[in-house]
Amino acid sequence: MVKLTGYKKIKTAVFISGTGSNLKYLIKFSKTKQSPISINLIISDNAKAKGLKLGKIYKIKKKVFNFRKKYKFENQILSVLKEHQIKMICLAGFMKILSRNFISKFKGKILNIHPSLLPKYKGLNTHKRALDNHEKYSGCTVHFVNTRLDSGKIILQKKIRITKNETKSSLAKKILKQEHKIYPRAILKVFSL
Ligand code: GRF
C-alpha cells in the first residue's frame, strides 16, 4: 500500500441528493490520518437534501445545482470543481445520471456506491427486486463510474445474507450500515492500486 503520511490529501467533492449518511461517514473518514482524501465540496441537485446540513456542521462548502438543464449545470459544476481544485468525486446517493462529457473530464476519478451486489440490480429499487427474486444474498458495491449506469469496474463489495422475514426497509438498513464501512475501505483500496 502507498504510504500516505506526508502527502497532500486529494481534494474531493461528494455529490448527494438526500440524507447524506454516506457523506457523513466519508467526512469522518477523510479526517483520519490514513485517509488519502479531504472533502472540500458538497454538491447536491436537491436544495432540500438533508445531507446539506453536514456542510454547515463540518464547515465544508456546499453548492446546489438544478439538473433540469443538465448540460448547462454540468458545465457550471465543472467550473466550480476547477475553482476548488477538486481532483476526485464520490457519488453518495446522488440520483442524477452524469453525462458522457462530464464523466470524460474526470475519467477514472469518479466513484459511486450502489446498494446491490453489482452486476445484479443496477438502477433503482434494488432491495424490492432482490426480495421479489427470493435472493439469498444482497449487499453493496463501490465502483468506478463509467458512461453506462452502475457498470464501471468494481472496487469493493460486501455481501449480506437475506433473512427469512426480511423486509425492504430491514434490508435497506442492514445494507446502508455496510455501505458506511466499505466506501472508506474502497477509497483506501483505490489509492493502493
Ligand atoms: C444509499 O443506499 C446509496 O447506496 C444509494 O442511495 C442511498 C443513499 O443514502 N445510492 P445516504 O444519502 O448516503 O444516506
Side-chain angles (χ1 to χ4, degrees), residues 18-23 92-93 113-115 176 179:
T19 315
S21 68
N22 276 293
L23 166 63
I113 186 146
H114 184 77
L176 191 60
E179 291 183 37

Side-chain angles (χ1 to χ4, degrees), residues 114-137:
H114 184 77
S116 79
L117 289 176
L118 290 173
K120 278 194 166 175
Y121 308 116
K122 297 171 184 171
L124 299 173
N125 301 318
T126 55
H127 307 314
K128 180 177 186 306
R129 288 189 284 149
L131 290 174
D132 287 352
N133 282 343
H134 307 287
E135 295 283 1
K136 284 201 171 80
Y137 296 93

Side-chain angles (χ1 to χ4, degrees), residues 83-97:
E83 188 189 317
H84 289 84
Q85 296 169 307
I86 299 296
K87 297 284 183 283
M88 187 168 155
I89 295 171
C90 291
L91 307 182
F94 183 64
M95 302 305 284
K96 291 285 187 296
I97 295 174

Side-chain angles (χ1 to χ4, degrees), residues 42-54:
I42 300 165
I43 302 258
S44 175
D45 64 312
N46 169 16
K48 293 195 180 121
K50 256 173 83 184
L52 284 168
K53 292 193 180 130
L54 293 165

Side-chain angles (χ1 to χ4, degrees), residues 171-187:
L171 184 58
K173 221 168 150 181
K174 276 203 301 204
I175 291 179
L176 191 60
K177 209 170 157 191
Q178 295 305 319
E179 291 183 37
H180 300 155
K181 293 185 185 159
I182 70 161
Y183 215 158
R185 283 178 41 216
I187 291 168

